[in-house]
Amino acid sequence: MWFGPCSTALLDIIIAGAGLVMGNIAEMAYLDLSRLIATRLGSLREFVGVAILRAVGTPSLPNNMKEEPLGDIVTRVLYRLRFLSEQRPFDTISLIYILPLAVVVLREHGIGRTEPDEIEEQVTLALELLAHHADQFTDMNLPRGEILGLLIQCMQNYTQHYKDIKDSLFDVCRSISTNIVPSELSVLLNGALVSQASVRTSVLQAIREYIDLTELDFSEEIWLAAHEDNGDNVELATAIWQENALEALPTDASKIIPYLASKDGQLRRASAKALAACIGDEASDFLETLHGLENQYIEQAKPRLPERDEFGMLKKTNLEDPWEARSGVALAFKAFSTNFTTEELVPFIKFLVSAKALADRSSTVRDQMIESATTIINRHGGKAVEDLINVFESQLDKGDKDSEGSDLLNEAIVVLYGAMGRHLPKGDERVEKVVKRLFETLSTPSESVQYAVAGCLPPLVRASSTHTSDYIQVMLDQLLNSKRYAARRGAAYGLAGVIKGEGVSALREYRVMSTLKSAAENKKDSNHRQGALLAYELLSFILGRTFEPYLIQIVPQLLNGFGDAVADVREACLDTTKVCFSGLSSYGVKKILPTLLDGLEESQWRSKKGACDLLGGMAYLDPQQLALSLPDIIPPLTGVLNDSHKEVRASANRSLQRFGEVISNPEVKSL
């Protein structure tokens, strides 16, 4: 059929600016095509063409065709098209001509409208127009691939219409299932890799329900979906994979590697796991892939410099750091952690050190490289302890201590040193040396490094339990007396790591809680008060539910913290409350909530304000706990909005706003 290619070609050259050369010849030819569409449109036929041409921005129409405001003509035409299609779908030729109007409205989020309600009106009409014709897409003359891509894009852009668009996608997929062509299948499969999990779910459901993939041997999109973060999507993709008898071989790894550089973090994680699953246990393929990834990292780590043409003029080049590609490589290293043997371990760690991957200029890549190396050492380091110690000591003993890169590298190596230390036998004198290095690294102003050190400490503490008292005293001293915030927070991480290694009973045995309580009540030194709150936060974070019995005891200290005169202490109190309450069990809520509700009845305004602030911290409860607790929290908190003291009213208002920020149900949130 000539009509589809002809109308598409005309519209393409008009959008490209043919009017600047040819006048309005192309536009008039496009309007002449409207005579061939359904006669039941009557005089509206030409207006359909005018609306499309004006919507795409052509300047070459006669003035009499521009008199009606753009938004008005688009909305008027859409209403008439929707009404007529509701009575009876249009024929193929008419639909080919009409569809560009719906497409441009949906892609541009409305045409000629600025008010949200008016934009929503156009979008709804365009979506309904597509829905009424979903069964017509059995005809291969229609732009089926374009409409598939548009529906997938609309599910991401117009979440309020998600269900209706999903139904349209399913109907279109059912229509094209008997004669789908590779280009259309490619559009649909790519929809399984978009950033929104719910959209990926819908696309995978449509593929499983209607699309036959048995002619394919391998689909990288389905293989990636089978290794993504969302468990439901993994199940769907795995079912598609098995039902269509698809197979992944090591030779398919090259199709997965480009996805490691994706801008989407979820897709990078999926591609790393999919790549490792593709290689499997084959040693030669693993080594080849590993060396390829190392070379890829080296290439991507090179700084991008301006380029010049043959005349010495600067070329327009993208100088942005391609950190996503290096992030994908780091994630792939971690995914391959089970493939390493002792023979590959030491050369790999040497590569990370020599290529300065552990000190990458991107903090995200740096953290991922450290995490990958730590995972690999935890798995395989026991058989290469001496070799690893030599590598680490050699780097740490180097004289270059001045550059920032060197400092970052040494900090990362200390973390790996700590991970390796778990493989040292109990009582080994080197354990204490490793712990000392880790303690020194805790003052690094990097949350990820401090967290990694806290993760390394428990096995080392268990291997040198005779020194636990000394370790705790060192951490408490730094926590309460250091002048630097980073050092105090690092000490809180360190203290939590030591307690986790020794066991929660150490809190009582070494009088940690009584020391922290005294610090929290120290009226003269705000660093002591802030340090105690930092310790509570990190103890709750690292120890989890095992710290909950102590959490119930510290509620009075949290109440006082919200009323502290020093802003840093109040901020630390809020952070502590967020962490502590986020993991609270139903038992913990039952024990704490009555105390806080009673606090709202206190006569002292400071106590009442503290109770309001702590109730606001309940907003960070686990969603299920929050749902159960809301009826008990919101009414009393709302009642305090009329309190006579302005500070109490402000605190109640802030707390209610916190609940508003975390509640996702739109009906509840609007209240």
Side-chain angles (χ1 to χ4, degrees):
M1 182 191 288
W2 63 270
F3 187 86
C6 178
S7 62
T8 301
L10 274 174
L11 197 57
D12 286 344
I13 64 170
I14 290 169
I15 293 172
L20 298 173
V21 179
M22 303 166 55
N24 64 2
I25 295 175
E27 283 84 350
M28 292 300 104
Y30 188 80
L31 292 176
D32 285 342
L33 290 178
S34 67
R35 300 174 186 173
L36 302 177
I37 66 177
T39 55
R40 62 189 174 116
L41 283 167
S43 61
L44 191 71
R45 289 188 294 181
E46 186 178 41
F47 284 106
V48 172
V50 172
I52 292 170
L53 292 175
R54 291 186 61 188
V56 299
T58 179
S60 304
L61 288 173
N63 289 333
N64 66 314
M65 293 183 178
K66 300 178 184 178
E67 290 178 358
E68 187 175 4
L70 175 58
D72 290 351
I73 188 174
V74 170
T75 302
R76 178 169 65 85
V77 169
L78 282 173
Y79 261 117
R80 187 64 180 164
L81 292 174
R82 196 281 306 270
F83 175 74
L84 291 173
S85 63
E86 199 171 20
Q87 295 177 335
R88 186 175 76 252
F90 289 109
D91 60 276
T92 298
I93 289 179
S94 300
L95 194 54
I96 289 173
Y97 195 78
I98 288 167
L99 280 176
L101 182 60
V103 170
V104 71
V105 165
L106 292 172
R107 284 187 175 159
E108 300 298 326
H109 297 267
I111 298 295
R113 297 298 196 201
T114 56
E115 292 297 322
D117 290 346
E118 295 178 341
I119 294 172
E120 178 69 12
E121 181 182 33
Q122 288 188 356
V123 167
T124 302
L125 290 169
L127 289 173
E128 290 176 352
L129 182 62
L130 292 179
H132 290 319
H133 292 90
D135 293 337
Q136 305 296 105
F137 284 90
T138 52
D139 194 325
M140 298 180 68
N141 291 301
L142 293 171
R144 306 190 306 183
E146 181 182 14
I147 297 303
L148 281 173
L150 178 67
L151 289 172
I152 292 169
Q153 180 185 348
C154 286
M155 276 196 288
Q156 301 173 76
N157 294 342
Y158 306 111
T159 53
Q160 71 273 30
H161 296 288
Y162 174 82
K163 186 180 182 303
D164 293 333
I165 302 170
K166 177 183 175 180
D167 291 342
S168 296
L169 177 69
F170 275 45
D171 291 340
V172 171
C173 286
R174 185 183 65 251
S175 298
I176 70 175
S177 59
T178 56
N179 56 2
I180 189 170
V181 299
S183 61
E184 296 162 354
L185 180 59
S186 177
V187 172
L188 193 57
L189 289 171
N190 282 328
L193 303 180
V194 298
S195 59
Q196 292 185 15
S198 59
V199 178
R200 299 197 301 272
T201 302
S202 295
V203 172
L204 289 169
Q205 288 172 339
I207 292 172
R208 187 182 183 192
E209 186 73 22
Y210 301 112
I211 306 301
D212 181 10
L213 302 179
T214 52
E215 293 187 5
L216 300 178
D217 295 321
F218 174 79
S219 166
E220 60 262 36
E221 294 89 355
I222 302 300
W223 187 243
L224 286 163
H227 294 86
E228 69 150 270
D229 293 344
N230 185 286
D232 293 338
N233 291 347
V234 169
E235 288 183 16
L236 277 169
T238 302
I240 295 169
W241 190 266
Q242 294 171 349
E243 290 165 3
N244 290 276
L246 301 176
E247 187 178 7
L249 301 173
T251 51
D252 296 313
S254 59
K255 301 173 185 175
I256 300 295
I257 289 176
Y259 292 96
L260 291 172
S262 170
K263 298 286 186 182
D264 181 7
Q266 187 281 139
L267 185 53
R268 293 199 300 275
R269 292 189 294 274
S271 60
K273 289 183 282 188
L275 179 61
C278 224
I279 296 299
D281 298 326
E282 185 58 46
S284 59
D285 292 320
F286 163 64
L287 278 175
E288 181 181 349
T289 305
L290 178 64
H291 294 150
L293 291 171
E294 290 174 349
N295 291 333
Q296 184 174 322
Y297 175 83
I298 291 172
E299 188 63 30
Q300 296 294 343
K302 294 177 180 177
R304 293 197 171 184
L305 302 174
E307 297 179 9
R308 297 182 181 273
D309 59 20
E310 66 244 45
F311 304 107
M313 304 292 290
L314 285 173
K315 295 168 64 176
K316 188 177 181 179
T317 52
N318 182 11
L319 299 180
E320 290 184 5
D321 180 26
W323 67 269
E324 293 91 351
R326 304 197 302 278
S327 167
V329 171
L331 293 168
F333 287 155
K334 182 180 179 181
F336 277 122
S337 61
T338 57
N339 295 71
F340 279 86
T341 64
T342 307
E343 288 73 25
E344 290 106 29
L345 175 59
V346 176
F348 174 70
I349 296 299
K350 286 182 176 178
F351 161 77
L352 295 181
V353 174
S354 62
K356 296 190 175 180
L358 297 170
D360 192 276
R361 58 183 173 272
S362 164
S363 60
T364 301
V365 178
R366 205 159 55 235
D367 295 343
Q368 290 170 339
M369 285 291 182
I370 293 172
E371 184 179 356
S372 299
T374 301
T375 303
I376 294 167
I377 289 173
N378 286 341
R379 282 182 178 273
H380 308 286
K383 297 179 181 179
V385 170
E386 298 301 329
D387 291 336
L388 289 173
I389 287 177
N390 290 336
V391 172
F392 298 148
E393 291 288 355
S394 174
Q395 174 61 33
L396 292 172
D397 290 340
K398 283 185 178 178
D400 181 16
K401 305 285 185 181
D402 297 330
S403 69
E404 181 184 0
S406 178
D407 290 341
L408 292 172
L409 181 59
N410 288 344
E411 289 163 6
I413 286 174
V414 170
V415 174
L416 301 188
Y417 206 154
M420 181 276 305
R422 70 169 58 219
H423 300 293
L424 293 173
K426 189 171 183 177
D428 192 308
E429 61 182 15
R430 290 175 294 187
V431 172
E432 190 177 356
K433 179 181 178 182
V434 174
V435 172
K436 183 180 178 182
R437 282 192 183 275
L438 289 173
F439 281 174
E440 292 171 354
T441 308
L442 281 170
S443 59
T444 303
S446 167
E447 190 95 4
S448 57
V449 170
Q450 292 169 344
Y451 175 71
V453 169
C456 294
L457 283 173
L460 296 171
V461 170
R462 287 191 285 269
S464 58
S465 56
T466 56
H467 299 284
T468 301
S469 178
D470 296 333
Y471 296 157
I472 290 176
Q473 193 54 50
V474 169
M475 289 295 95
L476 284 173
D477 182 63
Q478 185 170 323
L479 174 71
L480 302 177
N481 297 319
S482 176
K483 299 299 182 185
R484 294 174 54 238
Y485 173 80
R488 293 199 302 278
R489 187 163 183 82
Y493 267 109
L495 179 64
V498 172
I499 297 299
K500 186 173 183 179
E502 185 66 18
V504 73
S505 61
L507 289 171
R508 182 180 64 257
E509 183 179 348
Y510 297 101
R511 299 180 59 79
V512 174
M513 295 304 291
S514 60
T515 302
L516 293 176
K517 182 181 179 182
S518 298
E521 295 172 351
N522 187 331
K523 302 297 184 184
K524 296 181 178 179
D525 194 336
S526 62
N527 284 347
H528 276 227
R529 301 194 297 276
Q530 185 188 41
L533 292 168
L534 292 174
Y536 293 147
E537 176 191 347
L538 276 308
L539 284 167
S540 179
F541 179 60
I542 299 294
L543 300 180
R545 288 279 174 88
T546 58
F547 185 67
E548 188 171 291
Y550 295 94
L551 172 59
I552 297 170
Q553 298 175 17
I554 67 170
V555 168
Q557 297 169 48
L558 296 177
L559 285 168
N560 292 332
F562 276 114
D564 199 280
V566 179
D568 289 343
V569 177
R570 295 195 299 272
E571 185 177 346
C573 192
L574 176 59
D575 292 338
T576 301
T577 304
K578 288 180 183 179
V579 173
C580 292
F581 285 1
S582 64
L584 209 56
S585 67
S586 57
Y587 173 78
V589 174
K590 288 178 182 177
K591 295 293 288 184
I592 290 175
L593 190 54
T595 303
L596 301 183
L597 294 176
D598 289 343
L600 296 180
E601 306 298 328
E602 288 281 345
S603 57
Q604 291 290 331
W605 73 268
R606 291 184 185 277
S607 300
K608 193 180 290 189
K609 177 181 178 297
C612 288
D613 286 324
L614 263 186
L615 280 170
M618 289 282 184
Y620 306 102
L621 285 171
D622 174 85
Q624 289 184 338
Q625 293 294 338
L626 179 60
L628 294 172
S629 304
L630 273 178
D632 296 323
I633 297 173
I634 298 299
L637 201 51
T638 306
V640 184
L641 289 174
N642 297 321
D643 193 88
S644 59
H645 199 287
K646 66 176 183 179
E647 292 289 340
V648 176
R649 294 197 301 271
S651 176
N653 189 47
R654 283 196 303 271
S655 296
L656 286 170
Q657 285 177 346
R658 288 189 191 119
F659 284 103
E661 290 168 1
V662 299
I663 293 172
S664 56
N665 185 312
E667 294 179 358
V668 178
K669 191 179 180 75
S670 64
L671 299 176

